[in-house]
DNA sequence: CATCGATGCGTACACTCGTACACATGGAAT
DNA sequence: ATTCCATGTGTACGAGTGTACGCATCGATG
């Protein structure tokens, strides 16, 4: 009986759970499948995580760091440039274009909160935090809206199998961001920017 | 042996499947659970739907009509008024405020397409069609963006347990819609009210 | 009437699941 | 040194699963 008193046992189980969800989906998540993937006996997974919900909470917490990391490393949050929409569209592109399975995994766990109330606080926490970080380059309301729109765009891509269109994303994200009020008090509400949808390609 | 040769057997099975998903989630969907709910023998469900994917496709197709119906009945599509954002926000409010379980059901089936490629064409079809209908009151690009944003907003509400804020929705939806540059005098830039991220309630 | 295919019905098999529990082990506290 | 308890291990049980298959029943076709 090797490997007893493994101090990282718990972490290894979480990692294994993430791998399981990544390639078999949430439906394939079970104490047994995780135990096999982590190469630990069944009793070990049930000991550390009494219920699958507990395990999913831990997995979601860890998986959530995926996009957060991309966001951090993009330097987008420190940047002070004007083109926030373009930056976000680019980051989304990198995220979606990179480890697609990882993206699906994150969304699958995130969306699981729809039915599993145990996951809701974690999902809420993540939304809260990300919106807050985003708000550094805009205002809280806009940050939340950008987050919602990004979610919607990603879902359209993932659910329908469409191609991600960065130009399109940049365009519509830009519309959500209020233009910095010009000093001239005259340029009333007009969110300006001629919509010119003519040159925007559609994801099919 | 009553009820043989039931011509509506298939439809009744689909209805039962929807009820099962509605109150036990997709995880609770099985040939047996559906058979019990529809009050038909097991063999009947397996006969009409060889796989659960087939059954889910049928269920999703039918469930998708929920929001579509709300959209139609709202008269939003025929209306020619200016406040499309407000109309959409109102409709969303009605939808979310009404049969909440029904909404969760629709999203659950819709989101299931993330992992089940069999559902993707159906999801894509629905998106396509709804965007098209929406485009009657704006342009195709905007329609798609509105759809994405609405999905994102709904998900934030459903996943985090937050309250739906119609005013907020109206505001940000409005930003996505390009204003036909018209010199209307007093339309204010509408200062924003945050959705109050600080007091998001958790269920439970 | 005879046949045949679509549909319905019941049952059985092999499998996976969560859960429970009894037991082993070793570090920490006393 | 002894005790205690968190942790790890193995096994078993009952419930639920998809699937397959044989038979029953009807409608239509010839």
């Amino acid at each position: 009986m090797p490997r007893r008193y493994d101090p990282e046992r718990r972490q290894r189980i979480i990692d294994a759970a993430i791998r399981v969800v990544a390639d078999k989906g949430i439906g394939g998540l079970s104490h047994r499948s995780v135990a096999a993937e982590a190469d630990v006996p069944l009793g070990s997974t049930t000991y550390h995580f009494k219920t699958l919900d507990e395990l999913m909470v831990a997995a979601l917490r860890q998986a959530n760091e995926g996009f957060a990391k991309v966001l951090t490393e993009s330097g987008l949050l420190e940047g002070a440039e004007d083109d926030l929409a373009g930056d976000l569209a680019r980051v989304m592109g990198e995220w979606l274009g990179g480890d697609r399975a990882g993206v699906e995994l994150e969304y699958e766990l995130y969306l699981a909160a729809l039915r599993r109330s145990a996951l809701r606080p974690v999902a809420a926490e993540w939304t809260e935090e990300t919106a807050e970080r985003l708000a550094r380059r805009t205002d809280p309301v806009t940050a939340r809206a950008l987050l919602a729109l990004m979610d919607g765009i990603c879902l359209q891509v993932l659910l329908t199998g469409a191609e991600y269109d960065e130009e399109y994303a940049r365009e519509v994200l830009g519309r959500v961001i209020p233009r910095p009020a010009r000093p001239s008090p005259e340029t009333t509400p007009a969110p300006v920017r001629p919509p010119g949808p003519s040159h925007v390609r559609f994801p099919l």
Side-chain angles (χ1 to χ4, degrees), chain A residues 36-200:
Chain A
E37 175 70 30
D39 190 31
V40 300
L42 168 62
S44 196
T45 59
T46 62
Y47 172 75
H48 287 282
F49 303 93
K50 293 303 176 201
T51 74
L52 285 181
D53 272 3
E54 261 183 64
L55 185 48
M56 270 189 281
V57 167
L60 174 57
R61 259 211 175 82
Q62 183 160 322
N64 267 344
E65 291 171 16
F67 184 75
K69 199 175 166 194
V70 171
L71 213 54
T72 304
E73 292 179 349
S74 71
L76 184 150
L77 299 167
E78 291 81 21
E81 301 91 38
D82 199 24
D83 189 20
L84 176 56
D87 290 349
L88 286 175
R90 181 176 41 78
V91 168
M92 275 174 76
E94 288 168 10
W95 191 48
L96 286 167
D99 179 17
R100 186 66 156 248
V103 174
E104 284 185 5
L105 162 95
E106 275 190 58
Y107 265 107
E108 187 162 10
L109 281 170
Y110 178 59
L111 297 176
L114 181 64
R115 275 296 181 169
R116 292 162 221 269
S117 57
L119 297 187
R120 288 220 260 271
V122 186
E125 195 180 303
W126 181 84
T127 301
E128 203 77 32
E129 186 185 313
T130 308
E132 203 172 310
R133 298 173 72 195
L134 225 49
R136 294 181 206 162
R137 288 215 19 205
T138 174
D139 62 282
V141 171
T142 303
R144 247 189 204 282
L146 286 174
L147 211 50
L149 184 51
M150 288 170 72
D151 267 349
I153 291 173
C154 281
L155 282 180
Q156 272 184 17
V157 168
L158 294 172
L159 293 183
T160 68
E163 282 287 328
Y164 173 64
D165 185 333
E166 188 170 320
E167 261 317 300
Y168 162 77
R170 181 178 174 282
E171 157 71 20
V172 298
L173 285 170
R175 293 189 196 172
V176 171
I177 303 172
R179 319 309 289 176
R182 296 278 184 82
S184 50
E186 194 105 40
T187 44
T188 22
V192 298
R193 175 181 296 257
S198 50
H199 63 289
V200 179

